[in-house]
Amino acid sequence: MVEKAEGRAGMCLKPQTDCTSVGDPSSLPLHLHSAPYLPPSSVSPAMSDFHVHPQATMGEEGGVARFQCQIHGLPKPLITWEKNRVPIDTDDERYTLLPKGVLQITGLRAEDSGVFHCVASNIASVRVSHGARLTVSGSGSGVYKEPTILVGPENLTLTVHQTAVLECVATGNPRPIVSWSRLDGRPIGVEGIQVLGTGNLIISDVTVQHSGVYVCAANRPGTRVRRTAQGRLVVQAPAEFVQHPQSISRPAGTTAMFTCQAQGEPPPHVTCTLSISGVGPEDEAIYQCVAENIAGSSQASARLTVLWAEGLPGPPRNVRAVSVSSTEVQVSWSEPLAHTKEIIGYVLHIRKAADSPKLEYQEAVSKSTFQHLVRDLEPSTAYSFYIKAYTPRGASLASVPTLASTLGEAPLPPPLSVRLLGSSSLQLLWKPWPRLVQHNGGFKLFYRPVSAASFTGPIMLPGTVSSYNLSQLDPSTVYEVKLLAFNQHGDGNATVRFVSLKGASERTALSPPCDCRKEDVTNHTSTTGIVIGIHIGVTCIVFCILFLLFGQRGRVLLCKDVENQLSPPQGPRSQRDPGILSLNGVSRGEGGHLGHDEKHMDAKELEQLFPAAGPAGQPGSRPTDPAAPAPCGETQISMVQLQGFNLVAGRTAEAKSPFAGPGPAPEPQDIGLLSEGQDAQPPAVPASL
């Protein structure tokens, strides 16, 4: 609570002032009052009647008896007890008087029997309760009795510095031993702690740290047999300040802020801020911040001093704000009455009416302009506007704030996505718009087969819903789905989707809003393709390597075999057979005749040795490239020439020497260029081939 010790009453000191509190108003409210804060008035002494009278009781010798009375009064009454109209002897250790009006008698004797009265007294009066008879029977000391707690601790709620009385009355035979502990395991401590009577726990000057659950245990001596009872102690603390408001000085027309922060138990959990916009001389005052909770209150004060410069213009006048559209407001005003020549411009202050002044923003306006169009506002929202005039020496007072609400509009089309649930059902998904509920709005859903003339719907859905399932659809039909949002201003544009249910395992949407499922299928297909491609690639590489290895091996073996067969035998040149076939042709013997140990080679054998020398135009024949590298070292099988010989398939005869008869020697011919019509004799082949 913030109070003004002097000044006018009300939340705002003057019409052009904006006073706002920030925080939890239920915990620490902020107010401005014309009168100073007054403490509660004093109350006259008084005392009520007893609302709890002592009750008659019975006990055995050696046992425990207990009486209780309750009465309210101001000041708090003093409680004493009488037996048979005689005050009891408080020096007797068997009598225990607790502050809350309880009388305990331990180690009962036959002479304790009688009538007991509770006597309450204060400065207002003295009151006596009804009588309660105590009857003590014979001794039962020889009978074993389990430990029993007759009265356990009660739940207490106290304020700091008060005294807590946690009662525990136990009986049994033998007499049980009473002990205390905290349920949370923390030590109870010794400072301010005492045990009254045979087991009552007294905590003086309690603090917040004493709050907790206390456990009373009655133990049978020498055993682990025990009985327990527990009660909760809650200690409250009045609110107190941890940050006091500070006195401040502010120039006229600016904003003054006071901040105060308090703590307590229950904790206020709030930082309160008082903000005064456009302060003027009339705002000078002492402000009080009052922190309150159920345990008490506290207050602190601070002064506001307003600094005023001479010659400043007055506040702009006649401020008006008119809504132009759902996002625009036109603000107009008139110039101040005095000191207008030094004005260099205006500043328009803008904020949502429900927001704190801290969230306002400004827009500068030329000094010759007396209206401004504020853009980019939110639809159906109230805004606050005020204006200040600025000079080189400072700002004027703020104008009177004015409010205007932007026009409403129908909602935008909602984003819609579709998910197939099965062969005859699908799910529609979109984002919820809770704001629609505030404007009496929601969603409308329509659907139909594309061949149908009319839609099914509208299906009305609240703005908080984000999905809807359509079932019992025809799997062979394409459906048109339409979703739109509406509010008090009408229906917005619809989002339309065309969906096919063919194939429950795949999603076919003619105009899908998102490719989530499509991406999953694509990723799965891409992964499968990559795996297959890797396998194919590895297989191809393996085959290529095998092909190269076996091909190279076969080529080397073939070339080596041909060289061995075509190379002349080793030995003296004179001993060589003149009919041996060499790489350059056929060697000539004397007289041009072949050797005697010759053999004829047919065409098939030559083709096996010289595969490139097949007939021209036959499959497998290829032109001779002199520039091509030799496949077997320097041996070029495709270039082998047989001088003086023609080939005829399937024919064996002795060849004539090219120099045996008259006439010029024929030109060398490539074996691969001979035609089948030529009349030629195959050469004799040595036996070594």
Side-chain angles (χ1 to χ4, degrees):
M1 177 186 298
V2 172
E3 300 174 340
K4 186 181 180 186
E6 56 188 59
R8 289 181 291 176
M11 283 297 294
C12 295
L13 300 180
K14 53 187 176 63
Q16 65 268 27
T17 302
D18 180 18
C19 306
T20 307
S21 62
V22 180
D24 184 358
S26 63
S27 298
L28 287 176
L30 298 178
H31 299 287
L32 296 177
H33 295 279
S34 58
Y37 176 77
L38 295 177
S41 59
S42 58
V43 180
S44 301
M47 186 162 55
S48 65
D49 293 332
F50 282 95
H51 55 276
V52 174
H53 288 270
Q55 302 294 320
T57 183
M58 298 180 63
E60 296 180 350
E61 290 185 359
V64 178
R66 178 182 181 273
F67 297 101
Q68 181 180 11
C69 66
Q70 290 183 2
I71 190 173
H72 295 301
L74 189 68
K76 184 178 180 181
L78 175 64
I79 303 297
T80 60
W81 289 88
E82 295 178 349
K83 174 188 173 184
N84 300 327
R85 293 294 183 175
V86 176
I88 63 174
D89 183 8
T90 56
D91 293 333
D92 191 339
E93 295 181 354
R94 298 186 304 112
Y95 289 91
T96 301
L97 276 69
L98 300 182
K100 61 179 182 177
V102 173
L103 171 63
Q104 297 175 356
I105 307 174
T106 58
L108 288 177
R109 303 170 183 172
E111 58 268 24
D112 291 327
S113 299
V115 177
F116 289 80
H117 290 83
C118 174
V119 179
S121 60
N122 65 5
I123 59 175
S125 63
V126 176
R127 296 187 183 276
V128 180
S129 69
H130 299 162
R133 180 173 292 278
L134 170 61
T135 303
V136 179
S137 61
S139 174
S141 59
V143 180
Y144 169 78
K145 292 184 178 180
E146 289 284 343
T148 303
I149 296 179
L150 300 179
V151 179
E154 298 178 344
N155 294 332
L156 297 178
T157 300
L158 304 176
T159 305
V160 290
H161 308 306
Q162 290 184 326
T163 298
V165 179
L166 301 175
E167 186 179 7
C168 185
V169 179
T171 185
N173 191 15
R175 177 182 295 180
I177 300 174
V178 176
S179 61
W180 286 91
S181 63
R182 287 179 60 114
L183 188 62
D184 56 10
R186 295 170 53 189
I188 295 179
V190 294
E191 186 175 356
I193 305 295
Q194 63 175 327
V195 176
L196 191 62
T198 59
N200 305 289
L201 183 65
I202 308 298
I203 306 176
S204 303
D205 194 19
V206 294
T207 64
V208 175
Q209 288 70 30
H210 285 121
S211 296
V213 177
Y214 289 80
V215 180
C216 167
N219 296 73
R220 178 186 175 189
T223 69
R224 294 186 178 182
V225 178
R226 58 182 290 176
R227 296 293 183 266
T228 61
Q230 63 186 31
R232 180 180 297 275
L233 171 62
V234 177
V235 181
Q236 298 177 342
E240 60 180 356
F241 289 102
V242 294
Q243 181 181 357
H244 290 73
Q246 302 297 318
S247 297
I248 55 176
S249 299
R250 291 291 180 267
T254 60
T255 299
M257 300 181 68
F258 294 98
T259 300
C260 54
Q261 184 176 1
Q263 66 180 8
E265 183 62 40
H269 291 307
V270 65
T271 298
C272 296
T273 299
L274 172 67
S275 178
I276 307 175
S277 301
V279 297
E282 63 272 27
D283 293 317
E284 286 193 348
I286 296 176
Y287 293 85
Q288 289 182 329
C289 181
V290 179
E292 298 175 319
N293 65 5
I294 60 177
S297 64
S298 182
Q299 62 182 19
S301 303
R303 176 181 289 276
L304 170 62
T305 301
V306 179
L307 304 178
W308 180 256
E310 296 294 335
L312 291 178
R317 302 173 297 116
N318 303 324
V319 179
R320 297 179 64 247
V322 179
S323 297
V324 177
S325 67
S326 60
T327 59
E328 297 175 331
V329 172
Q330 182 78 35
V331 182
S332 60
W333 64 92
S334 301
E335 66 178 358
L337 291 176
H339 306 289
T340 60
K341 293 183 179 181
E342 296 185 2
I343 294 177
I344 59 176
Y346 296 91
V347 174
L348 177 61
H349 296 251
I350 309 160
R351 68 175 174 88
K352 293 181 181 179
D355 286 349
S356 164
K358 292 182 179 180
L359 301 178
E360 76 173 20
Y361 63 97
Q362 300 85 32
E363 293 185 7
V365 184
S366 170
K367 66 178 181 179
S368 59
T369 302
F370 300 102
Q371 63 180 10
H372 183 70
L373 183 63
V374 183
R375 306 175 185 272
D376 299 327
L377 303 177
E378 295 184 8
S380 303
T381 304
Y383 285 86
S384 172
F385 306 91
Y386 69 90
I387 306 171
K388 292 182 181 179
Y390 278 80
T391 69
R393 291 187 292 175
S396 71
L397 294 176
S399 68
V400 178
T402 185
L403 297 176
S405 297
T406 53
L407 300 177
E409 64 178 1
L412 297 175
L416 175 64
S417 60
V418 182
R419 183 172 66 183
L420 294 181
L421 300 179
S423 59
S424 62
S425 61
L426 56 86
Q427 185 178 43
L428 307 176
L429 302 169
W430 63 91
K431 291 184 178 180
W433 290 0
R435 189 173 180 181
L436 290 175
V437 179
Q438 304 174 4
H439 298 279
N440 301 321
F443 296 101
K444 294 181 181 180
L445 177 63
F446 305 82
Y447 71 97
R448 68 173 179 180
V450 292
S451 59
S454 60
F455 283 93
T456 299
I459 301 174
M460 307 300 293
L461 302 171
T464 54
V465 171
S466 60
S467 65
Y468 190 81
N469 294 348
L470 295 178
S471 58
Q472 299 181 353
L473 304 177
D474 186 355
S476 62
T477 302
V478 176
Y479 284 86
E480 178 182 0
V481 181
K482 183 168 63 174
L483 180 70
L484 61 86
F486 68 93
N487 58 17
Q488 73 271 28
H489 301 290
D491 294 350
N493 293 330
T495 302
V496 180
R497 295 287 180 262
F498 294 88
V499 184
S500 173
L501 295 174
K502 293 181 180 179
S505 62
E506 62 179 348
R507 177 176 180 268
T508 305
L510 302 184
S511 56
C514 72
D515 293 330
C516 305
R517 293 175 59 85
K518 181 178 179 181
E519 290 177 0
D520 294 342
V521 177
T522 303
N523 293 337
H524 178 72
T525 305
S526 301
T527 304
T528 305
I530 291 173
V531 174
I532 295 175
I534 292 175
H535 283 286
I536 294 176
V538 172
T539 304
C540 292
I541 292 173
V542 172
F543 274 105
C544 289
I545 294 174
L546 294 176
F547 178 78
L548 292 175
L549 291 176
F550 285 104
Q552 182 67 20
R553 180 181 179 186
R555 180 186 299 173
V556 172
L557 293 176
L558 176 61
C559 294
K560 184 175 182 181
D561 184 59
V562 172
E563 289 178 358
N564 292 335
Q565 295 183 21
L566 296 182
S567 61
Q570 302 296 325
R573 184 181 184 85
S574 60
Q575 297 178 1
R576 295 179 184 175
D577 192 337
I580 296 299
L581 181 65
S582 67
L583 291 177
N584 294 327
V586 180
S587 63
R588 301 179 181 87
E590 295 180 359
H593 298 283
L594 297 173
H596 298 288
D597 297 331
E598 60 192 5
K599 288 186 179 180
H600 297 283
M601 177 180 289
D602 59 16
K604 291 184 179 180
E605 292 176 329
L606 287 176
E607 288 176 358
Q608 292 176 358
L609 291 175
F610 308 103
Q618 295 297 325
S621 64
R622 59 189 177 202
T624 301
D625 185 4
C632 301
E634 297 179 354
T635 304
Q636 299 182 10
I637 298 178
S638 60
M639 295 298 293
V640 174
Q641 298 177 349
L642 300 180
Q643 299 179 0
F645 291 93
N646 291 330
L647 295 179
V648 177
R651 183 178 177 182
T652 305
E654 185 176 332
K656 297 181 180 180
S657 173
F659 301 105
E667 295 294 332
Q669 296 177 341
D670 192 332
I671 189 172
L673 299 178
L674 295 179
S675 63
E676 294 181 357
Q678 293 177 310
D679 188 8
Q681 299 292 334
V685 180
S688 61
L689 296 178

